[in-house]
Amino acid sequence: MAFLVTGPHKFLSPVPLLSRSYLAARMSPQFRCSLSMSSSMAKCERTEGIEREKCGAAILWFKHDLRIDDHPGLNAAFKHLTVLPLYIFDHRILSRFSDEMLELLLLAIDDLRKSLEEQGSNLMIRFGHSEYVIRELVKEVKATHIFAEEEAEYRMRCLVDVVVETLAAEPLLDWSPKVVSWRTPFFDLKKLDDLPRSYNDLKKLQDSYDSLLVSPKLPSVDGALNWGSLPLFSDVKKFMTDYSREREEQWATVKGSSANAVLWKEQRKMGTSSFNVSGNVRLSESGDSNQSQNQTQRNRLENSVFLTSKGNIVAGGTSLLLNALSAYLRYLEGTVRDDWQEIHQRLRETECRSGASFGVLFGSALQLGIISRRRVYHEAIKYEKERNAGFISPFSYSTVTVAAAIETVRSMEWYFLLALKSQSRKEGPFSVRWWRWNGYLVQYTVLGSEGPALLLVHGFGAFLEHYRDNLSNLANGGNRVWAITLLGFGKSEKPNIVYTELMWAELLHDFVIEVVNEPVHLIGNSFGGYLVAIVGGLWPTLAKSIVLINTAGNAGSGYPPLQLSEERKISGAAWFGARALLQFLRFSLRSIVRSCYPTRTERADEWLIDEMLRASYDPGVLLVLESVFSLNLSFRLNNLLDRLKEKVFVIQGMKDPIDDSNLKVAMFREHCAWVVIKELDAGHCPHDECPEEVNPIILEWIEKIEMRTNVGTFTSIIT
């Protein structure tokens, strides 16, 4: 099968990621130069005939909006004489997807092309760098505008900026093509600056679910254009494998190894006959549970909507998704249709907690924009009105499935808008970025342009800004410093999933590989310390050293039972406990936080407490709190850190009101004699209570480890 490839590299040749210096240059939101739809289209607001004459040709660049239903970009591009729909297989976009997502992508693109053909148009398919593909097409069709959906992910925003810069730098263009950003409005929000600080206030805004857009009849396209062929899955995999070969070799020993698999293999090496696996689960050689294996071995129906190899997600085009959504919403009605029965069966299997099945089944399709969040909301509200004689109850929805669909898409929209607003302007002492992990938005930041890599991980209930007075100082000390807000905390997304310590550890594992892209010094406070200990213990090649600041967890003899994430269920006690805990925390937060700063209570200032309170009203926060009652804190720190030995540093505030600091220090000295310990006159958060003491200590530690590493490397070379 032949493909059209545009760019300086041939098809299947490796292409580098956006350079580190380039990404650093985009820390400032003022750098972005793509335009809003309203400003760029102002000159086209005339009568339809004049509009098309004046606006000329447009390129409609599909990325994560693989539909023609409810598509504002498509409706805006309709004003042009010629519209060229385009999808680019760019490794920088595809590298973020799992194999199952790539399969879904191909199914969606195939359906999108057919839908466009029914409208008298087509979908152009290209492989290569987006900036070069678009530049050449702009010259070929004399395009004046490129329409592209606004992105929340930092790397995708950078990619759009690269397109803008490439067009601006093209000397052969005697006109100035404009990249027009658009998004599908969900709430009645005129501009991002009007976004309320609280989710509760956002819900008071008028919903726009009745404003769905109908796809217009597109202008006919030039039949002489080479539209390209839809590739096979194997073609896309080869394209990606050749590009990523170098990175795959670098991370060959750790990439793709789940926490469950690593733990299982470790216990197997020790000869534990039962492997101490909790629950009625058997493990395969890879460490995966037989439950997930059985899911992929079902006999599929001829008209199944689970079309990927694993068959775990609803996959196909917009019409198929709408049919599946109808089946999902009508779960309580029962059905004789076998395709709907299959959806109802999967709903029951994936409902690990109330409403969780919707995200599992439809989350991937929503991420690719095969169906808009606004469309889901519209269909759910329409069905709710059908059930209630045209009325919507102000108290609750009539079915769990309706509630799940509505709450999921509204939550997704809230975090999407938070991400956009935080990147449109600098709201704090440093700029923030967003990374998408398993489809969810995760906040992070990075400071420093050279030196060793550090990753700072906050404790339970905190966020990356808890390192507000550490980031700049550590970066100014000659380091590149990352800090992350874990999924479920701060402004990061809080999806309806089961939160476990192993899930968070895998998030950190993937962040180091995908974002930092080199081994790091892992620094964690409280529960964050426990997580970095797990990461260092399970994947030691990722950790140059470990710094534990008043860490959670204990040391001792023996090994804990291995709890699989799939087996953890939320009990009724956890459900009630989380709600009681949330009310208690909101009422007592000031006194609790200030007690953690015994020597300098003024450091527990109103900004810190207000931000914690703000996050406590985010959608999904109760789901995170429920995990408190099922977290496994029994992994022994000495077992986890044994491989790192002299690369572990413990900073202990000796006035910690949460944990007995004297017992903690004694525990380390008894079971981890190789650990370096520094005792401080501080509480549970020494890094924030006395940063002027902690920062130099960490800098000295990093310098010591780096010097030892460099000497070892030099000795190995000489030898």
Side-chain angles (χ1 to χ4, degrees):
M1 184 177 290
F3 300 99
L4 289 178
V5 186
T6 306
H9 299 267
K10 294 181 179 179
F11 176 59
L12 303 182
S13 64
V15 183
L17 286 168
L18 297 172
S19 69
R20 182 179 294 151
S21 60
Y22 176 84
L23 293 177
R26 275 143 184 83
M27 283 294 288
S28 172
Q30 284 75 24
F31 187 89
R32 294 186 49 76
C33 49
S34 54
L35 304 176
S36 69
M37 186 187 300
S38 57
S39 63
S40 65
M41 292 307 297
K43 60 186 177 184
C44 293
E45 292 177 356
R46 302 177 178 90
T47 63
E48 182 177 338
I50 298 177
E51 276 179 10
R52 296 199 171 177
E53 180 182 348
K54 293 292 185 183
C55 292
I59 293 173
L60 182 58
W61 180 18
F62 287 95
K63 302 190 303 297
H64 306 111
D65 50 318
L66 305 180
R67 64 183 187 277
I68 63 172
D69 173 71
D70 193 30
H71 196 293
L74 184 64
N75 282 262
F78 172 66
K79 299 175 184 291
H80 291 255
L81 277 170
T82 302
V83 178
L84 180 67
L86 170 69
Y87 186 85
I88 306 169
F89 286 86
D90 188 323
H91 69 273
R92 290 164 294 186
I93 299 175
L94 303 180
S95 62
R96 299 146 50 253
F97 298 150
S98 66
D99 283 356
E100 190 164 27
M101 280 289 284
L102 287 176
E103 291 183 72
L104 173 59
L105 174 73
L106 290 172
L107 290 167
I109 291 174
D110 182 40
D111 181 79
L112 176 61
R113 171 172 267 188
K114 292 174 181 176
S115 298
L116 287 166
E117 288 173 346
E118 291 173 0
Q119 295 281 52
S121 183
N122 205 330
L123 178 67
M124 182 168 284
I125 294 175
R126 292 290 187 271
F127 277 76
H129 289 61
S130 296
E131 60 269 30
Y132 300 129
V133 171
I134 291 174
R135 182 187 64 188
E136 296 309 310
L137 288 175
V138 163
K139 291 191 288 187
E140 183 176 357
V141 302
K142 303 292 189 295
T144 60
H145 292 76
I146 299 94
F147 291 89
E149 186 178 23
E150 189 169 13
E151 297 284 354
E153 284 180 83
Y154 175 72
R155 286 185 179 272
M156 290 300 300
R157 290 167 73 88
C158 287
L159 179 59
V160 175
D161 281 343
V162 170
V163 171
V164 174
E165 287 185 359
T166 302
L167 292 174
E170 175 52 52
L172 298 180
L173 294 179
D174 55 5
W175 70 96
S176 300
K178 299 203 173 1
V179 175
V180 183
S181 296
W182 62 269
R183 65 175 179 267
T184 307
F186 193 101
F187 298 101
D188 184 16
L189 197 67
K190 302 302 181 186
K191 55 184 185 297
L192 284 174
D193 287 343
D194 296 335
L195 181 69
R197 193 164 181 268
S198 164
Y199 178 67
N200 286 339
D201 291 334
L202 180 74
K203 290 192 296 184
K204 297 174 185 176
L205 297 179
Q206 180 70 35
D207 299 319
S208 62
Y209 70 91
D210 280 334
S211 305
L212 294 176
L213 298 174
V214 178
S215 174
K217 186 75 173 178
L218 292 176
S220 60
V221 294
D222 185 355
L225 290 171
N226 190 332
W227 292 92
S229 303
L230 182 69
L232 300 173
F233 176 75
S234 57
D235 299 318
V236 178
K237 283 298 291 181
K238 188 174 191 316
F239 173 66
M240 293 306 299
T241 300
D242 283 8
Y243 145 69
S244 61
R245 183 170 292 139
E246 184 178 341
R247 296 186 77 211
E248 292 290 342
E249 291 172 358
Q250 178 186 359
W251 300 111
T253 59
V254 292
K255 191 170 183 179
S257 57
S258 70
N260 286 332
V262 174
L263 286 168
W264 181 79
K265 288 175 183 176
E266 287 298 312
Q267 294 202 12
R268 187 182 184 190
K269 272 195 244 177
M270 292 183 295
T272 310
S273 58
S274 65
F275 303 113
N276 291 330
V277 179
S278 63
N280 297 319
V281 181
R282 298 183 64 83
L283 295 178
S284 68
E285 288 294 317
S286 65
D288 297 323
S289 72
N290 58 348
Q291 287 183 325
S292 60
Q293 290 181 49
N294 289 340
Q295 283 186 348
T296 64
Q297 294 172 357
R298 296 186 188 89
N299 293 322
R300 291 210 190 112
L301 299 171
E302 185 177 343
N303 57 345
S304 174
V305 298
F306 299 92
L307 301 176
T308 62
S309 298
K310 290 186 176 180
N312 293 329
I313 58 177
V314 177
T318 303
S319 297
L320 184 146
L321 262 293
L322 286 172
N323 172 59
L325 177 62
S326 294
Y328 182 89
L329 294 173
R330 290 162 176 77
Y331 172 70
L332 292 181
E333 294 182 8
T335 181
V336 296
R337 293 179 52 174
D338 53 359
D339 57 334
W340 282 29
Q341 288 177 356
E342 183 185 31
I343 292 168
H344 294 171
Q345 176 64 26
R346 296 297 177 88
L347 185 158
R348 290 188 289 271
E349 293 171 350
T350 55
E351 192 80 348
C352 59
R353 68 199 312 167
S354 181
S357 58
F358 183 83
V360 175
L361 300 179
F362 294 91
S364 297
L366 283 165
Q367 184 185 341
L368 289 179
I370 303 170
I371 185 172
S372 70
R373 294 189 286 272
R374 186 166 66 176
R375 168 62 75 178
V376 171
Y377 189 79
H378 171 87
E379 296 298 324
I381 290 294
K382 183 172 73 171
Y383 176 61
E384 182 73 0
K385 287 182 176 180
E386 288 175 8
R387 286 179 56 85
N388 295 285
F391 294 99
I392 299 292
S393 169
F395 304 107
S396 62
Y397 299 109
S398 61
T399 72
V400 172
T401 52
V402 168
I406 290 176
E407 290 169 5
T408 298
V409 295
R410 292 182 79 169
S411 174
M412 291 173 70
E413 183 71 10
W414 166 246
Y415 291 109
F416 174 72
L417 293 173
L418 275 182
L420 290 183
K421 184 179 180 181
S422 68
Q423 293 177 103
S424 66
R425 64 180 184 178
K426 191 175 179 180
E427 296 182 316
F430 35 79
S431 300
V432 296
R433 302 177 178 183
W434 295 81
W435 167 60
R436 198 174 284 279
W437 181 74
N438 287 356
Y440 308 121
L441 288 168
V442 175
Q443 184 191 44
Y444 74 99
T445 191
V446 57
L447 281 75
S449 58
E450 58 182 6
L454 283 59
L455 175 57
L456 311 181
V457 184
H458 61 81
F460 202 96
F463 29 78
L464 68 81
E465 291 91 348
H466 201 203
Y467 289 101
R468 52 191 169 170
D469 291 322
N470 310 108
L471 283 157
S472 295
N473 282 276
L474 295 176
N476 293 337
N479 303 291
R480 285 171 296 120
V481 187
W482 278 263
I484 187 172
T485 299
L486 296 169
L487 194 72
F489 299 103
K491 291 180 180 177
S492 287
E493 202 163 343
K494 301 168 184 64
N496 191 347
I497 60 175
V498 176
Y499 294 85
T500 72
E501 68 293 330
L502 296 183
M503 178 276 290
W504 279 307
E506 288 180 348
L507 181 150
L508 294 175
H509 161 278
D510 292 347
F511 185 82
V512 172
I513 292 174
E514 296 178 17
V515 180
V516 183
N517 197 31
E518 64 180 273
V520 298
H521 295 276
L522 289 164
I523 302 170
N525 169 235
S526 188
F527 183 64
Y530 184 64
L531 295 180
V532 302
I534 294 176
V535 173
L538 299 186
W539 305 285
T541 55
L542 298 182
K544 299 179 84 171
S545 77
I546 301 282
V547 179
L548 304 176
I549 305 174
N550 284 63
T551 185
N554 293 291
S557 57
Y559 292 86
L562 170 56
Q563 285 187 290
L564 292 180
S565 301
E566 299 96 311
E567 281 299 282
R568 303 206 195 169
K569 303 295 182 182
I570 302 302
S571 65
W575 189 92
F576 285 107
R579 282 147 182 81
L581 179 60
L582 179 61
Q583 295 306 314
F584 171 75
L585 290 174
R586 285 174 178 168
F587 180 77
S588 310
L589 187 62
R590 280 178 173 79
S591 60
I592 293 172
V593 174
R594 285 171 180 162
S595 71
C596 293
Y597 292 70
T599 65
R600 295 179 63 186
T601 55
E602 72 277 7
R603 290 288 298 168
D605 54 25
E606 285 303 307
W607 178 88
L608 180 65
I609 293 168
D610 285 349
E611 188 55 32
M612 289 182 173
L613 283 172
R614 186 214 63 78
S616 76
Y617 290 93
D618 276 348
V621 71
L622 280 168
L623 308 173
V624 183
L625 286 179
E626 288 173 3
S627 67
V628 171
F629 300 92
S630 62
L631 287 176
N632 180 11
L633 298 177
S634 63
F635 294 112
R636 308 283 186 254
L637 293 174
N638 51 312
N639 296 335
L640 291 170
L641 302 173
D642 184 61
R643 293 184 188 178
L644 297 168
K645 293 286 185 181
E646 298 176 356
K647 296 182 179 180
V648 181
F649 184 32
V650 172
I651 298 175
Q652 186 67 37
M654 298 306 291
K655 293 182 178 178
D656 191 338
I658 295 177
D659 211 350
D660 189 320
S661 296
N662 291 312
L663 284 178
K664 182 77 77 172
V665 170
M667 174 196 72
F668 275 117
R669 287 179 174 150
E670 178 182 356
H671 298 284
C672 312
W674 29 267
V675 166
V676 178
I677 302 174
K678 179 68 176 180
E679 300 178 19
L680 295 178
D681 183 30
H684 188 64
C685 311
H687 63 286
D688 194 41
E689 186 176 4
C690 49
E692 69 284 350
E693 288 186 62
V694 172
N695 290 334
I697 293 171
I698 293 177
L699 287 172
E700 182 181 354
W701 168 259
I702 300 299
E703 184 179 1
K704 175 184 174 183
I705 294 296
E706 288 295 319
M707 187 178 298
R708 186 191 305 165
T709 301
N710 292 336
V711 169
T713 303
F714 178 76
T715 303
S716 299
I717 293 173
I718 296 299
T719 303

